[in-house]
Amino acid sequence: MIRVLFVCLGNICRSPMAEAVFRHLVKKEGLQDKIEVDSAGLGSWHVGNPPHRGTCDILDQHNISYDGLVARQFQTEDLHQFDYIVAMDNDNIAGINRLKRENPRAQVAKLMDFVKEARESEVPDPYYTGNFDYVYSLVTEGCQALLEHIKADKGIE
């Protein structure tokens, strides 16, 4: 099983959106028996909460399920339990890197690193901008590119 973890600051906007979108893409391609998806936040403020209303609204508009998504905090163990840890911005990468102790199992990268000629290098936080539509477009583009990367990297047809 290939394990993918999306990470943002609070785990109520960007990373659960990416988790839901990526799960949707994985299911669409019939790869749910090969790829497992989760999300987490670096902070603990929202632990136990569902995704932000703006995230739910945009996912509803695109008929993407977010059933069962509940915020959790990123743990050091995640670096050893996941194959890919995908952060939304440079601050998230810095936070993850502060928790690294020995060589982690996971590849750590930003979501937009997987997009060739990406229009943004980071996924902005809609908690502050309110622009859930734009974030959804970046997350979708990034998730599609990440899935193609994983399929090529792991030899999945």
Side-chain angles (χ1 to χ4, degrees):
M1 184 66 77
I2 300 161
R3 299 190 74 213
V4 179
L5 179 68
F6 293 99
V7 178
C8 70
L9 187 59
N11 195 215
I12 59 167
C13 294
R14 297 172 291 174
S15 59
M17 183 186 296
E19 178 183 355
V21 168
F22 198 72
R23 276 187 183 168
H24 180 78
L25 294 172
V26 165
K27 186 176 181 182
K28 206 162 106 176
E29 294 211 18
L31 298 173
Q32 59 270 40
D33 62 330
K34 291 180 171 54
I35 301 173
E36 183 179 312
V37 190
D38 196 3
S39 64
L42 292 171
S44 62
W45 315 279
H46 302 292
V47 169
N49 291 339
H52 186 283
R53 184 76 247 152
T55 293
C56 295
D57 289 347
I58 195 74
L59 292 171
D60 284 341
Q61 288 173 32
H62 294 276
N63 297 313
I64 296 176
S65 173
Y66 48 89
D67 288 344
L69 297 188
V70 177
R72 75 170 184 90
Q73 190 170 13
F74 182 83
Q75 304 294 319
T76 304
E77 299 79 40
D78 290 331
L79 289 159
H80 303 286
Q81 294 175 356
F82 287 87
D83 300 291
Y84 299 89
I85 294 180
V86 184
M88 299 297 131
D89 61 35
N90 290 324
D91 288 339
N92 303 151
I93 291 286
I96 293 165
N97 286 336
R98 280 193 294 276
L99 295 172
K100 280 188 192 175
R101 294 207 175 83
E102 66 261 5
N103 291 332
R105 169 180 157 191
Q107 292 180 29
V108 179
K110 287 185 301 185
L111 181 60
M112 299 314 291
D113 291 347
F114 296 98
V115 178
K116 290 180 174 77
E117 299 178 32
R119 52 193 153 149
E120 300 274 354
S121 65
E122 301 179 313
V123 178
D125 194 342
Y127 186 84
Y128 301 106
T129 67
N131 197 342
F132 286 88
D133 290 322
Y134 184 58
V135 168
Y136 175 81
S137 70
L138 293 174
V139 163
T140 299
E141 183 179 24
C143 285
Q144 289 167 338
L146 172 61
L147 184 55
E148 291 307 312
H149 171 82
I150 290 171
K151 286 167 49 180
D153 191 38
K154 301 294 184 183
I156 299 171
E157 299 276 328

